[in-house]
Amino acid sequence: MNLTFIRRPSGLQFGGVDVRELADRAGRTPFFAYDRAAIDARIRELRSLLPSGMHLHYSIKANPMPALVHCLAAWVDGFDVASAQEMAVALNAGAAPADIGFAGPGKSHDDLRRAVASGVNVHVESETQLRLVTALGWELGVQPSVAIRVNPDFQVGQSGMRMGGGAAPFGVDVGQLPALLRELEAREVALAGFHIFWGSQCLHAATVIEAQRQSVELVLRLASGLTDPLRFVNLGGGFGIPYFPGETRLDVKAVCEAMHDWLPGMRAGLPGTTPILELGRYLVGEAGIYVCRVIDHKVSRGKTFVITDGGLHHHLAASGNFGQVLRRNFPVVIGNRPDGVPRERCHVVGCLCTPLDRLADDIELPEAHIGDFIVVKQSGAYGRSASPLHFLSHPEPVEMLV
Ligand SMILES: Cc1ncc(COP(=O)(O)O)c(C=O)c1O
């Protein structure tokens, strides 16, 4: 008998699992998969570089999947939350209220009530927020834990997204702080800490180092007029990850080495105060993929379109519509045969009826067939939760931890 074996082309491995096997586990496409071992490894590596005593917080906005946050609760020292729902996810994952910071320019009365009742640290960003928090403390019979988010008086250079310096809805301008501190004193509320968030998605080590140095200088200046010690100082994060061709990885080793230089000065000026680094995408962004399926392949006026069952309603960032000035392609491969031939130049699009729904423009890939898996890498942060899931009423993507 002549048996001929046809070898299945090797597929993309993610978390040690072939992408076709992942699709079987998900039960349908599209889906997001997150690799918990990769997140663990990223955090271990970072911790080995950080000076001892530097606390690491995870910013839940990057990816609020409860199972993922549950894993992170064992690996980080606390969480940054931006809503009462994110706060509930952190508390349900077992985080202590004292290790949760609630920041955001538009906290509602209900958000604040739940935060004060739970005992999390409310990072107030205006006089209105301070008044509400103290009134809620009286009403609920608890001493609220209040920190101040400061809009710094410096602005960083090459950051992906600036979130401080200049006029901003975030935090309290340095010039307005003395009045807010007097208000705090008059209301007999202790100040737990300061929070300075200068920006995010920065790949330039010298910029991160400079922003951290300036944050520490600012905090030392602000704290010099205080009588009571601060419990913590949250120095923001800003660590970026490479998404696009030509981007170079942030030199985290250099950033951490610089911490060894400025931390002793901060400790001397603020004995007993815990420094906090808060990171979102750097911890989880590279540990996630988005997988959708090719449902059509067609040519229009000489251009090839690979049409998928996914799109911007699941992954706004990959479509280029989540704050990118110039649209560039996230890394995209055909998951079931990444090295397949022949290859073709094509446009990978989603299933929505809008020209904005693009997953990759003018990219060279193995010739796509209906049923192939399109995999978008670097999708562990700002994916599902940062997308307009209900636009055009298609099904939501599955999410799973591998
Ligand atoms: C206050 C605050 N903390 C943390 C983050 C997380 O940023 P990233 O995911 O880039 O680390 C953001 C992002 O906008 C933020 O506004």
Side-chain angles (χ1 to χ4, degrees):
M1 195 168 38
N2 184 9
L3 285 179
T4 308
F5 291 98
I6 299 173
R7 216 158 60 88
R8 204 159 86 133
S10 57
L12 180 83
Q13 302 293 302
F14 181 79
V17 186
D18 188 286
V19 79
R20 290 161 292 197
E21 160 75 19
L22 284 180
D24 286 345
R25 289 192 201 173
R28 64 182 167 85
T29 52
F31 64 89
F32 283 93
Y34 312 119
D35 178 353
R36 75 181 90 195
I39 300 171
D40 185 18
R42 168 60 51 104
I43 293 173
R44 280 175 198 275
E45 189 198 9
L46 177 58
R47 287 231 194 245
S48 74
L49 298 171
L50 288 174
S52 73
M54 173 64 80
H55 278 211
L56 180 61
H57 280 199
Y58 172 58
S59 208
I60 292 187
K61 58 170 70 69
N63 188 329
M65 182 199 193
L68 182 141
V69 174
H70 200 88
C71 286
L72 277 149
W75 302 330
V76 297
D77 304 299
F79 291 101
D80 155 53
V81 303
S83 67
Q85 176 56 28
E86 285 192 359
M87 187 179 77
V89 170
L91 290 168
N92 288 340
D99 297 327
I100 299 174
F102 180 16
K107 303 177 191 79
S108 71
H109 185 270
D110 187 52
D111 282 344
L112 288 172
R113 190 171 215 284
R114 290 166 68 180
V116 171
S118 313
V120 311
N121 304 299
V122 181
H123 296 194
V124 300
E125 311 206 13
S126 68
E127 201 179 319
T128 312
Q129 286 189 7
L130 176 60
R131 290 204 174 135
L132 270 171
V133 167
T134 47
L136 284 161
W138 281 105
E139 186 188 320
L140 295 165
V142 294
Q143 178 70 253
S145 174
V146 173
I148 298 179
R149 180 169 172 186
V150 181
N151 177 15
D153 48 6
F154 62 85
Q155 206 165 42
V156 295
Q158 303 186 20
S159 171
M161 197 184 289
R162 280 186 195 156
M163 298 205 36
F170 316 110
V172 178
D173 288 0
V174 170
Q176 294 172 16
L177 274 171
L180 199 75
L181 289 170
R182 279 195 299 277
E183 181 92 26
L184 205 67
E185 204 176 350
R187 289 166 182 266
E188 295 178 359
V189 176
L191 182 64
F194 285 118
H195 179 195
I196 298 180
F197 193 81
W198 49 268
S200 74
Q201 181 49 20
C202 186
L203 292 171
H204 193 237
T207 303
V208 178
I209 293 169
E210 187 52 27
Q212 291 183 335
R213 274 193 214 286
Q214 296 213 41
S215 300
V216 169
E217 265 174 36
L218 174 58
V219 160
L220 287 172
R221 228 186 319 134
L222 297 175
S224 64
L226 302 175
T227 39
D228 295 322
L230 298 171
R231 195 153 51 78
F232 62 84
V233 168
N234 182 328
L235 297 164
F239 292 18
I241 58 171
Y243 288 100
F244 308 116
E247 284 188 332
T248 35
R249 196 164 276 288
L250 173 69
D251 185 352
V252 171
K253 195 159 172 269
V255 173
C256 292
E257 273 168 13
M259 288 181 193
H260 288 274
D261 295 339
W262 54 252
L263 198 56
M266 182 187 148
R267 289 222 165 96
L270 294 169
T273 300
T274 302
I276 297 171
L277 185 66
E278 78 176 316
L279 297 174
R281 78 184 78 216
Y282 184 75
L283 302 186
V284 298
E286 294 182 79
I289 53 172
Y290 172 65
V291 182
C292 52
R293 213 150 189 176
V294 177
I295 54 173
D296 209 344
H297 182 277
K298 67 191 211 189
V299 176
S300 165
R301 300 203 164 94
K303 288 191 173 170
T304 300
F305 290 89
V306 173
I307 300 174
T308 70
D309 60 358
L312 73 74
H313 53 314
H314 298 160
H315 203 338
L316 192 66
S319 78
N321 295 293
F322 189 58
Q324 292 95 324
V325 180
L326 288 177
R327 197 207 167 279
R328 286 182 287 176
N329 294 335
F330 271 47
V332 166
V333 296
I334 296 200
N336 43 309
R337 42 190 185 85
D339 304 316
V341 282
R343 298 173 77 82
E344 66 182 355
R345 283 212 87 77
C346 63
H347 301 265
V348 182
V349 301
C351 59
L352 305 185
C353 197
T354 159
L356 299 179
D357 195 8
R358 299 181 283 170
L359 290 176
D361 268 346
D362 197 19
I363 186 177
E364 190 186 287
L365 288 177
E367 195 175 81
H369 306 147
I370 290 176
D372 279 344
F373 295 105
I374 296 287
V375 177
V376 183
K377 297 181 181 177
Q378 308 295 79
S379 296
Y382 306 105
R384 183 184 184 281
S385 70
S387 302
L389 290 173
H390 301 295
F391 183 46
L392 300 197
S393 305
H394 285 283
E396 291 186 11
V398 174
E399 282 191 301
M400 63 183 175
L401 267 185
V402 182

